[in-house]
Amino acid sequence: MTQLPLVIRPENPCDAEAVERLHERAFGPGRFARTAYRIREGAPHRLDLSFTALVGSLLVGSVRLTPVTAGDAPALMLGPLTVDPAFENRGIGRALIERSLEAARATNHTLVLLVGDESYYSRFGFKRVSPGRLTMPGPVDPGRFLAAELAEGALAQARGAVKPAPAAI
């Protein structure tokens, strides 16, 4: 069997429908009730910081970064990270996260937040947010609320509610 190369490229507007179908297959209808989704629906994700993974012409993965504020500090919310279930455990998620964090650093962003599995995301520099430092607009397991500093001390500048950014940052 011929192995098709994986291509990671910036998301573009024509990907929206395929990415939504991917989210539906991976997360189902329950995704709309999640706290992180509620934050992301309040602001559009940044296409220049969001990426898709393709095998041939098939979209098999996606990661998005959405501008938020963490108290008064600008930040980005990573997610959803989605890989087609048929293509899991092949390094696609890792490639997408690395590319999105690289793009965020290159554009002088300093802090990325997410709600996810610490054992997976810690390899990318994500650590638990200290209880009480930041709050989300709904229930979040404190062990899954994570942050990655892209610049030293960025998390120390963030305290308060995490909300959609009022304007693109």
Side-chain angles (χ1 to χ4, degrees):
M1 180 174 186
T2 304
Q3 189 171 17
L4 295 173
L6 178 69
V7 174
I8 304 290
R9 65 161 171 76
E11 182 179 336
N12 61 58
C14 70
D15 295 325
E17 189 176 315
V19 169
E20 183 55 32
R21 284 192 311 267
L22 182 63
H23 291 170
E24 185 177 331
R25 283 193 311 277
F27 302 118
R31 69 191 180 280
F32 298 114
R34 295 179 178 176
T35 298
Y37 183 87
R38 290 176 28 201
I39 289 174
R40 289 191 297 263
E41 72 183 357
H45 62 282
R46 294 269 308 262
L47 287 174
D48 60 323
L49 301 177
S50 300
F51 294 88
T52 57
L54 294 105
V55 172
S57 62
L58 181 64
L59 192 141
V60 298
S62 168
V63 67
R64 289 177 167 173
L65 289 175
T66 301
V68 297
T69 57
D72 292 329
L76 296 166
M77 176 72 73
L78 188 147
L81 169 66
T82 315
V83 175
D84 187 297
F87 288 86
E88 288 179 348
N89 300 313
R90 297 182 188 193
I92 295 170
R94 176 189 46 77
L96 286 164
I97 292 170
E98 288 173 350
R99 184 75 176 271
S100 66
L101 294 178
E102 178 184 293
R105 271 189 202 92
T107 53
N108 298 315
H109 292 279
T110 60
L111 183 64
V112 179
L113 307 172
L114 65 80
V115 177
D117 184 6
E118 184 179 23
S119 66
Y120 179 79
Y121 289 101
S122 63
R123 72 187 84 184
F124 307 106
F126 285 89
K127 298 177 183 169
R128 286 185 192 182
V129 173
S130 299
R133 171 163 290 285
L134 296 172
T135 60
M136 298 282 273
V140 171
D141 176 348
R144 294 177 55 80
F145 188 20
L146 310 175
E149 292 182 311
L150 304 182
E152 191 172 335
L155 185 56
Q157 304 302 314
R159 182 172 289 283
V162 176
K163 298 183 246 182
I169 59 173

